[in-house]
Amino acid sequence: MKKIGIIGAMELEVEALKDKMEIHRKVEKASLEFLEGMLSGTEVVIVRSGIGKVNAALCTQILCDIFEVTHIINTGVAGSLKNEINIGDIVVSTDALHHDVDVRVFGYPLGEVPQIGCLAFQADTELAQLAVACCKEVNTDIEVYCGRIVSGDQFISDKKIKDNIINHFHGFCVEMEGASIAHTAYLNHVPFVIIRAISDKADDSAEMDYPTFEKAAAAHSAALVEHMLQKIK
Ligand code: SAH
């Protein structure tokens, strides 16, 4: 029997899912509230991790240790790193990496955490394929892309910083949690996928766009996750 851990960094990324689930148990741990129960006929644990990589990593570890989830889905919003990926569109992860890790002085490529053996953490292909197929069914007004998601403890709203990240990592979108969820899931041998709807273009327009579009973008991503749960058996 599958048990899916669902993480959103912010309340608006998980509130619609929480409202629809049947709650069996509430558990408080590390100042987080984990809701265990059923959604769309699937066993789930839904949690708001808080923003940034540390919050997301510790939340993921608790899902693995205490709730023994079999899979992890991260839903939320992100800044686009490609001209053709517009606000509202969805990116499903092929892999994820930390764009703010730099240990090049000891010969590691930019982004690689030393002594871990890989630059990027691979998402589960079955979950990713299911996400793309479900997106085409449920969000017919937008495009869905499958590609690399890059994360760091920075809100990217400067074209120069954005271009630098694109040149180094060839990511499809940038956010602040995905890679640490991927990293933690990888160390625990738990399959994962990151699903992000675009809230901004991660350049000088991001500060204006983000507050305008975050709610609608978060809702797109959550609707997709809800639909996926109906198909996960
Ligand atoms: N509005 C919040 C802060 C949001 S930080 C507050 O005031 O507290 C941005 C969130 O959206 C993070 O969770 C991150 O994962 C995602 N995100 C969206 N666009 C981003 C961008 N351009 N750069 C980095 N993270 C972004």
Side-chain angles (χ1 to χ4, degrees):
M1 180 79 178
K2 289 180 177 160
K3 185 173 181 183
I4 318 291
I6 299 172
I7 303 173
M10 299 176 287
E11 194 59 31
L12 83 151
E13 293 169 328
V14 283
E15 64 193 359
L17 298 173
K18 284 183 176 179
D19 286 347
K20 287 179 185 156
M21 76 182 283
E22 180 190 309
I23 299 169
H24 295 167
R25 191 163 72 116
K26 283 188 188 182
V27 178
E28 292 239 351
K29 183 90 188 158
S31 306
L32 300 174
E33 184 185 63
F34 296 81
L35 300 184
E36 195 172 38
M38 299 295 288
L39 180 59
S40 303
T42 304
E43 215 181 328
V44 293
V45 183
I46 303 182
V47 58
R48 176 189 60 80
S49 66
I51 293 168
K53 296 202 295 175
V54 173
N55 285 325
L58 74 85
C59 177
T60 308
Q61 188 60 46
I62 292 170
L63 283 174
C64 295
D65 277 349
I66 296 185
F67 295 94
E68 298 181 319
V69 296
T70 59
H71 298 75
I72 290 174
I73 301 176
N74 173 217
T75 174
V77 300
S80 171
L81 295 178
K82 281 187 178 286
N83 285 339
E84 65 271 28
I85 306 183
N86 289 312
I87 290 174
D89 287 347
I90 288 205
V91 177
V92 174
S93 62
T94 48
D95 60 4
L97 62 74
H98 303 280
H99 70 71
D100 58 353
V101 169
D102 185 355
V103 194
R104 285 177 291 181
V105 68
F106 295 117
Y108 294 97
L110 189 66
E112 184 163 327
V113 175
Q115 304 188 8
I116 210 161
C118 62
L119 170 66
F121 305 98
Q122 299 297 318
D124 184 66
T125 34
E126 257 177 59
L127 280 178
Q129 280 166 6
L130 181 64
V132 171
C134 287
C135 194
K136 288 182 175 153
E137 285 173 22
V138 81
N139 291 319
T140 48
D141 50 336
I142 55 154
E143 297 295 325
V144 57
Y145 297 86
C146 222
R148 171 170 289 171
I149 295 183
V150 303
S151 317
D153 282 319
Q154 273 175 292
F155 185 83
I156 306 301
S157 56
D158 179 311
K159 182 146 188 338
K160 279 201 207 95
I161 298 174
K162 174 186 176 179
D163 288 343
N164 208 18
I165 290 175
I166 294 170
N167 292 337
H168 277 297
F169 303 112
H170 312 289
F172 281 41
C173 68
V174 60
E175 36 82 315
M176 300 176 66
E177 298 83 19
S180 65
I181 293 169
H183 182 156
T184 309
Y186 167 80
L187 294 177
N188 286 276
H189 312 291
V190 172
F192 72 91
V193 70
I194 303 159
I195 298 166
R196 295 278 177 160
I198 301 302
S199 54
D200 58 83
K201 291 283 204 165
D203 57 16
D204 306 78
S205 64
E207 200 179 332
M208 285 270 289
D209 284 346
Y210 177 87
T212 315
F213 298 114
E214 67 167 353
K215 207 163 187 221
H220 268 151
S221 187
L224 165 53
V225 172
E226 191 190 346
H227 195 66
M228 274 177 82
L229 293 174
Q230 290 167 14
K231 309 247 169 165
I232 289 178
K233 284 291 161 272

